[in-house]
Amino acid sequence: MESPMTRNRLLSRISWQSLVFFLCFGMAITGWGQTAADTMPSDPVQAQSAPEAEMDRAPKIAIGPGDQIDIEVFDTPELSGPARVSQTGEVNLVVLGSIQVAGLTPNQAALKIESELKSRGILVDPHVTVSIGEYASQGATMSGEVHTPGVYPTLGSRRLLEMIALAGGVTMTAGRTATIIHHDDPQHPRDIALVPNNHLLGAQENPVILPGDTVVIDRAGIIYILGDVGKAGGYLIDNNERLSLIQALTLAGGWTRTSAQSKVILIRQVPEGREEIKLDLAHMIRGKQADIKVSNGDILFIPSSLGKIFAYQGIGAVVTGAEQAVVYGAVYK
């Protein structure tokens, strides 16, 4: 029969062994968890999508003749410094001599200089960065229906709306189309539709404007509505969304009760000269005659009916109406 002292020693040994076992087991579990987390492969799509998307959005501005580029060779200040690109597209660098860089992006130029330094045995492992310090043509041309046409700087990746703001905004006669003519691809101009009000600016397409680009804000169309209407005058129309004749007439307040609705004349410029189209508004309203589209430069004349004038206003107004008809005949015939 074992003594109490022996029993206590045995229990103490078992407890110590149990403690060591659980400590080792816990450490093994912790180490396994860390290893699994460290070795778990990351999603390559998530890891690469953000930088790639940012690169796609960044403007790829090429170096051009007359530009000044800043070259920095890591830990080699004697090979670093600014350089002006010649009209033939070359830069004259220390040790390397003339290097063709026109047409390359700054990153491509840096890689080319690195390759030259390494292939000629000048540096074993060169690291070069290139940036454009000064553009030969630092700005883009803003023209058309802006308050202050001219050349404005584009450094800092300025976009269309910023360039329009720099030019003082659009005029009252501006249309809703901005045409961008890129310096490096003038044969393919790009038309951008401008939103009609500030509430839609969130949906406005707003591309980057690069040095040497030209932005033209087009002029809105205008139609002249004369004669016996609510308010005669010239009215702006959107060239991209052509109005019908009835819609255009509403801009002038419509016709009056003394107008001759069946003797309306639309005067339009055609390649052969001037064309007169006789219209009947009453038939248009009833659907008996097609409502035609108006174009930029059209003149719509709604004459007065002498009979209606006499009926509503008396003989004095008839004389005024007759004089109006004489003036119309003298001007447009």
Side-chain angles (χ1 to χ4, degrees), residues 82-151:
R84 180 73 63 178
V85 183
S86 69
Q87 292 303 312
T88 59
E90 299 177 334
V91 287
N92 191 15
L93 305 179
V94 178
V95 180
L96 290 178
S98 295
I99 299 293
Q100 184 74 29
V101 294
L104 302 179
T105 64
N107 287 340
Q108 292 171 338
L111 293 174
K112 185 172 183 178
I113 295 173
E114 286 180 358
S115 177
E116 292 290 336
L117 289 171
K118 190 173 183 178
S119 64
R120 300 187 191 185
I122 300 171
L123 294 176
V124 177
D125 187 20
H127 295 280
V128 179
T129 58
V130 174
S131 60
I132 302 178
E134 178 182 325
Y135 293 97
S137 176
Q138 295 188 20
T141 301
M142 298 296 298
S143 63
E145 294 303 310
V146 290
H147 285 289
T148 314
V151 179

Side-chain angles (χ1 to χ4, degrees), residues 238-257:
D238 187 359
N239 291 322
N240 297 327
E241 300 176 2
R242 293 180 60 191
L243 299 177
S244 71
L245 187 142
I246 297 298
Q247 290 173 326
L249 189 57
T250 60
L251 298 175
W255 58 82
T256 69
R257 62 180 182 175

Side-chain angles (χ1 to χ4, degrees), residues 267-287:
I267 304 169
R268 173 171 291 173
Q269 291 292 336
V270 294
E272 296 77 18
R274 181 179 295 171
E275 177 185 16
E276 292 188 5
I277 304 172
K278 295 182 179 180
L279 303 169
D280 190 328
L281 295 180
H283 286 176
M284 282 187 179
I285 296 299
R286 298 186 182 96

Side-chain angles (χ1 to χ4, degrees), residues 65-276:
D67 291 350
Q68 177 184 296
I69 61 175
D70 296 322
I71 303 170
E72 182 178 351
V73 183
F74 177 72
D75 205 24
T76 314
E78 59 271 18
L79 299 181
S80 304
R84 180 73 63 178
V85 183
S86 69
Q87 292 303 312
T88 59
E90 299 177 334
V91 287
N92 191 15
L93 305 179
V94 178
V95 180
L96 290 178
S98 295
I99 299 293
Q100 184 74 29
V101 294
L104 302 179
T105 64
N107 287 340
Q108 292 171 338
L111 293 174
K112 185 172 183 178
I113 295 173
E114 286 180 358
S115 177
E116 292 290 336
L117 289 171
K118 190 173 183 178
S119 64
R120 300 187 191 185
I122 300 171
L123 294 176
V124 177
D125 187 20
H127 295 280
V128 179
T129 58
V130 174
S131 60
I132 302 178
E134 178 182 325
Y135 293 97
S137 176
Q138 295 188 20
T141 301
M142 298 296 298
S143 63
E145 294 303 310
V146 290
H147 285 289
T148 314
V151 179
Y152 292 89
T154 56
L155 299 179
S157 299
R158 285 198 166 126
R159 296 181 177 271
L160 175 62
L161 292 182
E162 294 177 88
M163 298 301 294
I164 293 176
L166 287 175
V170 298
T171 65
M172 293 295 293
T173 57
R176 294 184 184 175
T177 302
T179 301
I180 303 173
I181 304 170
H182 290 297
H183 174 69
D184 58 351
D185 189 16
Q187 303 302 321
H188 298 88
R190 180 182 177 187
D191 290 336
I192 303 295
L194 300 177
V195 296
N197 55 63
N198 293 335
H199 300 293
L200 301 175
L201 282 179
Q204 174 65 61
E205 189 177 1
N206 196 21
V208 172
I209 306 300
L210 302 178
D213 287 355
T214 299
V215 179
V216 182
I217 306 299
D218 77 338
R219 184 181 181 86
I222 186 168
I223 178 174
Y224 301 93
I225 304 177
L226 308 175
D228 200 354
V229 293
K231 187 177 180 181
Y235 293 89
L236 298 178
I237 59 174
D238 187 359
N239 291 322
N240 297 327
E241 300 176 2
R242 293 180 60 191
L243 299 177
S244 71
L245 187 142
I246 297 298
Q247 290 173 326
L249 189 57
T250 60
L251 298 175
W255 58 82
T256 69
R257 62 180 182 175
T258 58
S259 62
Q261 301 172 14
S262 62
K263 297 180 180 180
V264 174
I265 297 176
L266 178 66
I267 304 169
R268 173 171 291 173
Q269 291 292 336
V270 294
E272 296 77 18
R274 181 179 295 171
E275 177 185 16
E276 292 188 5

